[in-house]
Amino acid sequence: RVSERLSGLPVDVLYSSPLERACETAEPTAARTGLDVKLDDGLLECDFGEWTGAAIAELAALPEWQTVQHSPSAFRFPGGESFPEMQARIVGALEALCTAHAGGVVLCFSHADPIKSAVAHALGTPLDLFQRIVISPGSVSAISFVEGQDPAVHMVNSTAEPLCGLRAQ
């Protein structure tokens, strides 16, 4: 369905997180456009370190969970990444990809927390409020990066309408 929704866009290049679930989401769009999916580590999910694979119910019982939810800028996953590091990583990757393909439409397939943190950055929203942003599986968010300008958010968590009206700036 994501590929169908993106069918009206004049796509120049596709990038994906190397994780299987993001690559699988990108593949139908690659097939439709005839473009290869390029992998970019900057689009990876947050490195949850020792928390990787743990059940949310188990993690939610930890005292640190409240920090994750209400003060994420102050939290580092044990053996993993901090939220500010994740945000800097994805924002840097998006800026670099958009600079490399200036004026083009760059589709990036990533994960909820990195997308939320990129949207928060583009909106000028403090990282500690990024948990208020909802990113659903298979949703589309659009941010334009134009050199010399602040990023502009065009849509967040869109899951229904076709995107043929969205154009590169």
Side-chain angles (χ1 to χ4, degrees), residues 13-34:
V13 64
L14 302 175
Y15 286 92
S16 177
S17 157
L19 294 183
E20 184 177 10
R21 62 187 185 265
C23 292
E24 286 176 350
T25 303
E27 281 306 319
T29 301
R32 181 186 53 76
T33 62

Side-chain angles (χ1 to χ4, degrees), residues 59-73:
L59 297 173
L62 298 174
E64 297 94 334
W65 187 255
Q66 291 307 310
T67 303
V68 169
Q69 296 304 307
H70 302 291
S71 301
S73 68

